[in-house]
């Protein structure tokens, strides 16, 4: 479902930005990076499953 893909992409980009905040603790960053990796894998799986290319 492209909607699910798009929503996960938004979450992924949000996490990428959020992780760089200045007041984050090392523990928070570690947990957030773990979640970002999980979301990135899900995005890639959907991308492959539905044949989504970068321009879609």
């Amino acid at each position: 479902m492209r909607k699910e893909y798009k929503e996960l992409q938004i979450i992924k980009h949000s996490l990428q930005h959020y992780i760089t905040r200045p007041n984050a603790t090392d523990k928070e960053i570690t947990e957030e990076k773990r979640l970002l990796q999980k979301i990135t894998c899900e995005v890639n799986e959907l991308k492959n499953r539905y044949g989504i290319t970068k321009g879609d």
Side-chain angles (χ1 to χ4, degrees), residues 1-11 46 52:
M1 179 125 329
R2 288 183 187 233
K3 181 180 178 188
E4 181 183 6
Y5 168 79
K6 196 169 200 171
E7 289 172 350
L8 285 173
Q9 276 287 50
I10 291 168
I11 293 168
L46 289 175
I52 298 171

Side-chain angles (χ1 to χ4, degrees), residues 7-44:
E7 289 172 350
L8 285 173
Q9 276 287 50
I10 291 168
I11 293 168
K12 182 179 100 174
H13 293 143
S14 297
L15 273 169
Q16 288 171 333
H17 178 73
Y18 186 66
I19 287 171
T20 64
R21 69 193 186 285
N23 60 341
T25 66
D26 289 339
K27 183 179 178 184
E28 289 171 332
I29 291 173
T30 300
E31 292 171 352
E32 292 156 6
K33 282 183 177 180
R34 192 175 302 127
L35 178 58
L36 176 58
Q37 180 64 32
K38 180 181 174 183
I39 296 294
T40 300
C41 288
E42 289 180 34
V43 165
N44 289 335

